[in-house]
Short mmCIF file of all heavy atoms in Angstrom, two decimals:
data_model
loop_
_atom_site.label_atom_id
_atom_site.label_comp_id
_atom_site.label_asym_id
_atom_site.label_seq_id
_atom_site.Cartn_x
_atom_site.Cartn_y
_atom_site.Cartn_z
N LEU A 63 -154.14 42.05 114.23
CA LEU A 63 -155.53 42.45 114.31
C LEU A 63 -156.19 41.77 115.53
O LEU A 63 -157.01 42.36 116.24
CB LEU A 63 -156.30 42.06 113.04
CG LEU A 63 -157.74 42.44 112.95
CD1 LEU A 63 -157.93 43.99 113.08
CD2 LEU A 63 -158.32 41.99 111.61
N ALA A 64 -155.77 40.52 115.79
CA ALA A 64 -156.41 39.78 116.94
C ALA A 64 -156.05 40.41 118.27
O ALA A 64 -156.66 40.01 119.28
CB ALA A 64 -155.97 38.32 116.87
N HIS A 65 -155.03 41.24 118.34
CA HIS A 65 -154.58 41.79 119.61
C HIS A 65 -155.20 43.13 119.94
O HIS A 65 -154.96 43.67 121.03
CB HIS A 65 -153.05 41.92 119.65
CG HIS A 65 -152.35 40.59 119.70
ND1 HIS A 65 -150.98 40.49 119.81
CD2 HIS A 65 -152.84 39.32 119.72
CE1 HIS A 65 -150.64 39.24 119.84
NE2 HIS A 65 -151.74 38.46 119.79
N VAL A 66 -155.96 43.73 119.02
CA VAL A 66 -156.57 45.01 119.33
C VAL A 66 -157.59 44.81 120.42
O VAL A 66 -158.46 43.97 120.33
CB VAL A 66 -157.26 45.61 118.08
CG1 VAL A 66 -157.84 47.01 118.39
CG2 VAL A 66 -156.27 45.73 116.93
N PRO A 67 -157.45 45.59 121.53
CA PRO A 67 -158.37 45.38 122.67
C PRO A 67 -159.74 45.91 122.41
O PRO A 67 -159.94 46.76 121.52
CB PRO A 67 -157.70 46.09 123.82
CG PRO A 67 -156.85 47.15 123.18
CD PRO A 67 -156.48 46.64 121.81
N LYS A 68 -160.70 45.42 123.16
CA LYS A 68 -162.09 45.89 123.12
C LYS A 68 -162.14 47.34 123.68
O LYS A 68 -162.84 48.20 123.16
CB LYS A 68 -163.02 44.99 123.92
CG LYS A 68 -164.46 45.23 123.68
CD LYS A 68 -165.13 45.81 124.87
CE LYS A 68 -166.64 45.88 124.67
NZ LYS A 68 -167.11 47.25 124.85
N SER A 69 -161.33 47.56 124.73
CA SER A 69 -161.35 48.87 125.40
C SER A 69 -160.11 48.97 126.22
O SER A 69 -159.63 48.01 126.83
CB SER A 69 -162.61 48.95 126.30
OG SER A 69 -162.42 49.98 127.22
N PRO A 70 -159.56 50.23 126.33
CA PRO A 70 -158.42 50.39 127.25
C PRO A 70 -158.75 50.11 128.70
O PRO A 70 -157.82 49.92 129.51
CB PRO A 70 -158.08 51.91 127.04
CG PRO A 70 -158.59 52.26 125.68
CD PRO A 70 -159.82 51.43 125.55
N GLU A 71 -160.05 50.11 129.05
CA GLU A 71 -160.37 49.93 130.47
C GLU A 71 -160.70 48.46 130.80
O GLU A 71 -161.02 48.17 131.94
CB GLU A 71 -161.58 50.82 130.88
CG GLU A 71 -162.90 50.43 130.29
CD GLU A 71 -164.06 51.24 130.85
OE1 GLU A 71 -164.32 51.12 132.04
OE2 GLU A 71 -164.64 52.02 130.10
N LEU A 72 -160.53 47.57 129.82
CA LEU A 72 -160.70 46.15 130.09
C LEU A 72 -159.43 45.41 129.93
O LEU A 72 -158.52 45.90 129.24
CB LEU A 72 -161.75 45.59 129.07
CG LEU A 72 -163.21 45.96 129.32
CD1 LEU A 72 -164.06 45.56 128.16
CD2 LEU A 72 -163.76 45.34 130.59
N PRO A 73 -159.28 44.21 130.56
CA PRO A 73 -158.05 43.49 130.37
C PRO A 73 -157.86 43.15 128.87
O PRO A 73 -158.84 43.02 128.15
CB PRO A 73 -158.35 42.13 131.14
CG PRO A 73 -159.40 42.53 132.13
CD PRO A 73 -160.21 43.62 131.49
N THR A 74 -156.60 43.08 128.46
CA THR A 74 -156.39 42.91 126.98
C THR A 74 -156.83 41.61 126.41
O THR A 74 -156.90 41.49 125.19
CB THR A 74 -154.88 43.10 126.68
OG1 THR A 74 -154.14 42.22 127.50
CG2 THR A 74 -154.42 44.53 126.94
N LYS A 75 -157.18 40.65 127.26
CA LYS A 75 -157.73 39.38 126.68
C LYS A 75 -159.11 39.68 126.10
O LYS A 75 -159.61 38.87 125.31
CB LYS A 75 -157.81 38.30 127.75
CG LYS A 75 -158.79 38.64 128.85
CD LYS A 75 -158.88 37.48 129.88
CE LYS A 75 -159.84 37.84 130.97
NZ LYS A 75 -160.00 36.83 132.00
N ARG A 76 -159.73 40.78 126.47
CA ARG A 76 -161.01 41.18 125.87
C ARG A 76 -160.71 41.94 124.60
O ARG A 76 -160.39 43.11 124.62
CB ARG A 76 -161.81 42.08 126.86
CG ARG A 76 -161.92 41.52 128.22
CD ARG A 76 -162.80 40.27 128.30
NE ARG A 76 -163.00 39.91 129.72
CZ ARG A 76 -163.91 38.99 130.08
NH1 ARG A 76 -164.64 38.34 129.18
NH2 ARG A 76 -164.04 38.68 131.34
N THR A 77 -160.88 41.27 123.49
CA THR A 77 -160.44 41.88 122.22
C THR A 77 -161.58 42.47 121.39
O THR A 77 -162.74 42.11 121.57
CB THR A 77 -159.66 40.90 121.35
OG1 THR A 77 -160.62 39.88 120.85
CG2 THR A 77 -158.53 40.20 122.10
N LEU A 78 -161.18 43.35 120.49
CA LEU A 78 -162.17 43.93 119.57
C LEU A 78 -162.80 42.89 118.70
O LEU A 78 -163.98 42.96 118.40
CB LEU A 78 -161.45 45.02 118.74
CG LEU A 78 -162.28 45.71 117.68
CD1 LEU A 78 -163.47 46.45 118.26
CD2 LEU A 78 -161.39 46.68 116.88
N ILE A 79 -161.99 41.90 118.31
CA ILE A 79 -162.49 40.84 117.41
C ILE A 79 -163.55 40.03 118.13
O ILE A 79 -164.66 39.78 117.60
CB ILE A 79 -161.33 39.98 116.91
CG1 ILE A 79 -160.46 40.73 115.92
CG2 ILE A 79 -161.88 38.69 116.30
CD1 ILE A 79 -161.12 41.08 114.61
#
Side-chain angles (χ1 to χ4, degrees):
L63 184 58
H65 290 182
V66 181
K68 194 249 187 235
S69 163
E71 70 174 293
L72 286 169
T74 53
K75 65 179 181 179
R76 310 291 188 168
T77 69
L78 178 60
I79 289 294

